[in-house]
Amino acid sequence: MNFKLKFLGAAQNVTGSCHLLEANDMRILIDCGYYQERDFKYRNYAPFVEEPSSIDAVILTHAHLDHCGLLPKLVKDGFKGKVYATEATADIAEIVMRDSAKIQSQDIAYKQKRHKREGRKSKHPYEPLFRMEDVDQVLPMIETLRYGKELKIDTGVTIMFHDAGHILGSSSVRIEATKHGTTRSIVFSGDIGRWKSPILRDPNPFEQADYVCIESTYGNRDHKDNSSIPSTLARVVNAAYKGGGNVVIPSFAIERTQELLYRLGELEIAGRIPKVPVFVDSPMASKVTEVFKRHPELFDKETMDRIHQGEHPCDFPNLHLTRSPEDSKAINKRKGTSIIIAGSGMCTGGRIKHHIANNIERPESVILFVGYQAQGTLGRHILGGLERVRLHGEELEVLARIEKVNGMSAHADRSELLQWLKGMKTPPKKVFVIHGEERATEAFAEYVHDRLGWEAHVAVYEEEIELG
Ligand SMILES: [Zn+2]
């Protein structure tokens, strides 16, 4: 029988997830992600390694850009098959792909203008990878599938999703192929979330597979303890309230923002913070929050209990989801304390820059970081303790208090990845380690071998493997 694997992305790096599985007569892509790491971005513009028209189906594990972001390009370049995903993944992927199309066309227009002014010409055509019309083509190709339901996608080929607990709708997928009485199976972990994180259910590992491809984003380390998140949030909000300042939180639109809302709502119900207005000032985060409201069936038990008591985790009376630029500007005119959550998460663009500009010189306000700030970003400059920063062409003095919450991550750490693997009742023949920086993948492969005695292999880009 034909059962073959080829790594086409997220192999010794963390973005651009894409793997090809040949199962019987089918050629299936698992994810078709966009590269976000600077060193690999050129691959977004290169032709696909495998001819898009030769692919029969795409399985989407979740809606992050680095897993779904090149799907419109795949369709534009000739893919005609089906796309399998959970309903929530389909909903959020639409928002993510549309947002990407919009940002790309804005970037191109800006670049063209700048080059014209500087009398330069780009080596690359002034063309986005895909446009809104290409996203429109993808949507009718998506077929949704629930967790735990087996679906036959071709003769002798079935797939099944399990909840990966990473973001809403995220899945691990098991693909099984049977021919002439022989059966082979493989599990792709997708991105694995954390046990006991708010709103989402715990990751649900598969119990059996001949082969496993597992992510390793944090394959070489364990997270800091996250038990202090509620007390840090409460302390920060209360201090800002006392001084009459704002709490400005740069946040990623998917999951982090909803987790913040969940935690703020919880603190408010418990009377640990005052009822101050909370603004989600990001069109994308607002749209994703609406998707959360539509899918309570995916929430964990604690969250469902809260809903039964009349408290929706992403909704409370003083929460405002702003859409228009006018609503956004109105936030700055408000007197008294507001909590303002906006993107981008590392302050590299978006409405957060306006809110930082309006608050950074106010000693009574707080800028609160909830996620990783990469080298060279405005977020890193502020968090790193610079006394002055440049924003919108102006030098501003950093007078606001700078705070950070540790442990808010949507990714399993090393111990949790191992816990997920231990869900297997019988050892797989081989584990392939994907989706991690070189050091993390190597360390995790070694860790799996040491702890479980299983054979673990670090996946290499464009490597092809026959699975016997
Ligand atoms: Zn992800």
Side-chain angles (χ1 to χ4, degrees):
M1 70 182 297
N2 182 25
F3 208 53
K4 204 156 79 185
L5 182 61
K6 188 170 180 182
F7 304 105
L8 299 172
Q12 294 176 302
N13 74 292
V14 285
T15 64
S17 266
C18 190
H19 313 285
L20 173 71
L21 181 77
E22 287 184 18
N24 290 349
D25 302 322
M26 265 202 125
R27 286 163 62 78
I28 309 165
L29 279 191
I30 294 82
D31 290 332
C32 189
Y34 183 90
Y35 284 92
Q36 291 165 299
E37 295 149 292
R38 193 178 285 264
D39 289 353
F40 296 102
K41 270 194 161 178
Y42 70 93
R43 285 191 195 158
N44 292 327
Y45 300 90
F48 285 102
V49 174
E50 299 290 324
E51 176 56 41
S53 61
S54 75
I55 306 294
D56 301 300
V58 177
I59 297 172
L60 210 53
T61 62
H62 66 289
H64 272 146
L65 188 68
D66 63 321
H67 290 257
C68 74
L70 286 188
L71 203 45
K73 183 186 166 191
L74 190 79
V75 173
K76 185 181 161 189
D77 291 359
F79 170 70
K80 296 229 165 5
K82 272 196 177 146
V83 179
Y84 299 98
T86 63
E87 203 181 315
T89 293
D91 288 352
I92 301 173
E94 178 181 351
I95 299 168
V96 169
M97 292 185 289
R98 288 199 186 287
D99 184 67
S100 174
K102 194 171 128 200
I103 290 173
Q104 286 181 54
S105 66
Q106 285 169 348
D107 283 355
I108 293 279
Y110 178 76
K111 197 167 153 189
Q112 213 163 3
K113 215 165 113 187
R114 186 162 49 95
H115 282 182
K116 204 173 164 194
R117 201 175 53 225
E118 295 167 356
R120 290 203 288 156
K121 219 174 157 30
S122 171
K123 286 184 292 196
H124 308 290
Y126 295 100
E127 267 292 309
L129 287 167
F130 55 85
R131 299 174 186 277
M132 224 43 111
E133 307 87 87
D134 303 308
V135 179
D136 292 338
Q137 301 296 315
V138 177
L139 304 177
M141 301 166 98
I142 303 179
E143 186 172 329
T144 61
L145 179 63
R146 282 206 220 156
Y147 295 131
K149 288 258 178 293
E150 195 171 55
L151 181 74
K152 186 175 160 197
I153 58 171
D154 194 24
T155 314
V157 183
T158 60
I159 63 168
M160 188 194 275
F161 286 134
H162 270 191
D163 198 334
H166 168 60
I167 64 169
L168 198 75
S170 66
S171 354
S172 307
V173 62
R174 185 172 186 275
I175 305 164
E176 193 175 84
T178 306
K179 199 164 192 176
H180 305 313
T182 311
T183 298
R184 290 280 175 273
S185 58
I186 185 166
V187 164
F188 291 85
S189 70
D191 287 3
I192 303 172
R194 311 199 62 192
W195 274 258
K196 298 198 181 68
S197 67
I199 310 176
L200 300 177
R201 295 202 192 123
D202 290 346
N204 178 17
F206 282 94
E207 291 182 355
Q208 194 277 326
D210 295 316
Y211 300 94
V212 176
C213 282
I214 186 167
E215 69 119 328
S216 59
T217 315
Y218 290 97
N220 54 351
R221 56 192 158 122
D222 286 326
H223 289 315
K224 284 189 187 154
D225 180 26
N226 61 1
S227 57
S228 65
I229 294 175
S231 56
T232 309
L233 278 176
R235 178 176 56 75
V236 168
V237 174
N238 284 314
Y241 183 69
K242 220 168 137 192
N246 293 319
V247 181
V248 177
I249 312 178
S251 177
F252 299 96
I254 309 172
E255 220 57 48
R256 203 71 53 91
T257 293
Q258 293 77 28
E259 178 177 347
L260 270 170
L261 296 180
Y262 177 94
R263 292 190 183 275
L264 290 169
E266 197 170 49
L267 291 170
E268 206 181 284
I269 293 164
R272 293 176 65 188
I273 58 169
K275 280 194 165 50
V276 296
V278 177
F279 294 94
V280 174
D281 189 23
S282 147
M284 186 169 162
S286 298
K287 281 182 209 156
V288 175
T289 304
E290 297 291 352
V291 176
F292 268 70
K293 289 192 200 169
R294 281 207 301 275
H295 288 286
E297 77 281 2
L298 301 177
F299 297 165
D300 63 10
K301 190 180 171 301
E302 292 81 357
T303 309
M304 288 313 289
D305 288 349
R306 250 173 84 171
I307 290 177
H308 290 137
Q309 286 158 21
E311 312 277 357
H312 194 284
C314 302
D315 202 5
F316 39 87
N318 44 331
L319 171 67
H320 309 274
L321 304 178
T322 61
R323 298 250 173 169
S324 68
E326 291 72 38
D327 292 345
S328 176
K329 282 183 194 129
I331 300 172
N332 296 319
K333 300 207 182 92
R334 283 200 73 264
K335 295 243 175 324
T337 298
S338 302
I339 299 172
I340 306 160
I341 303 169
S344 71
M346 298 190 203
C347 318
T348 48
R351 294 181 180 173
I352 191 68
K353 290 177 87 172
H354 296 280
H355 297 297
I356 289 181
N358 284 316
N359 285 279
I360 202 158
E361 296 197 306
R362 294 179 62 189
E364 66 276 21
S365 285
V366 185
I367 317 243
L368 174 65
F369 290 94
V370 294
Y372 176 73
Q373 304 297 310
Q375 207 92 43
T377 58
L378 175 63
R380 181 67 162 259
H381 291 157
I382 298 173
L383 191 60
L386 284 192
E387 286 174 11
R388 308 182 75 83
V389 290
R390 271 195 87 78
L391 234 168
H392 298 137
E394 239 188 304
E395 279 259 310
L396 297 174
E397 209 174 335
V398 182
L399 298 174
R401 273 190 317 124
I402 309 303
E403 296 266 6
K404 184 174 194 300
V405 167
N406 284 321
M408 268 179 82
S409 175
H411 278 277
D413 63 13
R414 183 178 62 166
S415 314
E416 290 165 319
L417 290 172
L418 196 76
Q419 181 178 349
W420 187 87
L421 276 178
K422 281 181 178 165
M424 291 265 153
K425 292 225 165 112
T426 46
K429 290 181 187 169
K430 207 181 229 177
V431 174
F432 299 101
V433 183
I434 53 171
H435 199 289
E437 285 173 6
E438 222 173 308
R439 267 184 310 172
T441 46
E442 275 160 22
F444 190 65
E446 225 178 280
Y447 189 67
V448 169
H449 187 260
D450 289 351
R451 294 296 174 108
L452 304 173
W454 299 356
E455 200 181 328
H457 173 87
V458 172
V460 177
Y461 184 60
E462 290 197 33
E463 178 185 22
E464 228 172 322
I465 294 169
E466 291 276 358
L467 305 172

